[in-house]
Amino acid sequence: MRRFNRFMGFASALLIGTLLTQGTATAATDQGRSLKDRQSRIVGVWDVEVVVSNCETNATLFTFLAMHSYTAGGTGQVVPATNPASTSAYMMTWRHIAGNTYQMAFKMYRYDPNGVAVGWTVVSNEVSINNNATEYVGGGVAEAFDLDGNFQFASCPAFTGARFKG
């Protein structure tokens, strides 16, 4: 009987320990999942309006529409609704900063009216997503370089996006 009581005590302690550990593991998993969900709220396809301004005077230089696609893992693509003879689609990297804020950078190649490559532009910006993850706003800096990598000029794009619904 003493042996049985010792076994039951050990089994009870093991069961209680397992339950306590399982609760902690579940809480940690839920916290990890919650963080991952917040980090990936930007994933998907977005309709975006871009307003490009002079960084010093804030005067609008031009506007255009684009599609932004954010994929899990921190990469994406931007397809501008501009003449494809003057620019390429852009490849992007993105990362979650905190809360509803994301930072991204993308690169595009530029061409003259004859289709000859003249350089590239690198855009660095931040956007903030609304609480429903259906819209975002943000802005940044676009730096243009010639084919030798010499800085040419900068502009300041602003972004307003809404999740693409098809």
Side-chain angles (χ1 to χ4, degrees):
M1 185 68 148
R2 190 182 315 175
R3 206 168 161 184
F4 178 76
N5 286 342
R6 217 175 14 193
F7 173 76
M8 290 304 291
F10 175 74
S12 296
L14 184 61
L15 178 63
I16 290 170
T18 302
L19 290 175
L20 289 175
T21 320
Q22 186 65 26
T24 305
T26 301
T29 302
D30 288 345
Q31 285 178 338
R33 185 175 301 125
S34 176
L35 177 60
K36 185 176 181 183
D37 290 345
R38 278 183 303 194
Q39 291 174 337
S40 64
R41 291 179 64 216
I42 199 167
V43 170
V45 179
W46 298 77
D47 275 318
V48 179
E49 182 178 356
V50 182
V51 178
V52 180
S53 301
N54 179 306
C55 296
E56 294 174 13
T57 67
N58 207 30
T60 298
L61 302 173
F62 55 92
T63 64
F64 62 93
L65 300 175
M67 298 288 293
H68 289 192
S69 173
Y70 300 90
T71 57
T75 61
Q77 186 174 14
V78 176
V79 179
T82 57
N83 184 343
S86 63
T87 187
S88 67
Y90 320 163
M91 300 308 294
M92 170 198 328
T93 61
W94 66 268
R95 69 186 183 100
H96 178 248
I97 300 295
N100 292 336
T101 304
Y102 298 80
Q103 183 179 59
M104 63 266 320
F106 46 88
K107 182 177 183 177
M108 65 172 197
Y109 293 96
R110 296 178 294 115
Y111 304 89
D112 70 12
N114 297 319
V116 175
V118 295
W120 65 84
T121 300
V122 176
V123 179
S124 300
N125 64 293
E126 284 188 6
V127 297
S128 293
I129 294 180
N130 68 355
N131 288 332
N132 297 328
T134 57
E135 297 178 338
Y136 69 64
V137 297
V141 175
E143 297 179 309
F145 300 89
D146 67 16
L147 289 175
D148 294 324
N150 299 308
F151 175 78
Q152 298 290 294
F153 59 89
S155 59
C156 289
F159 304 90
T160 305
R163 199 168 286 278
F164 176 68
K165 295 182 181 170

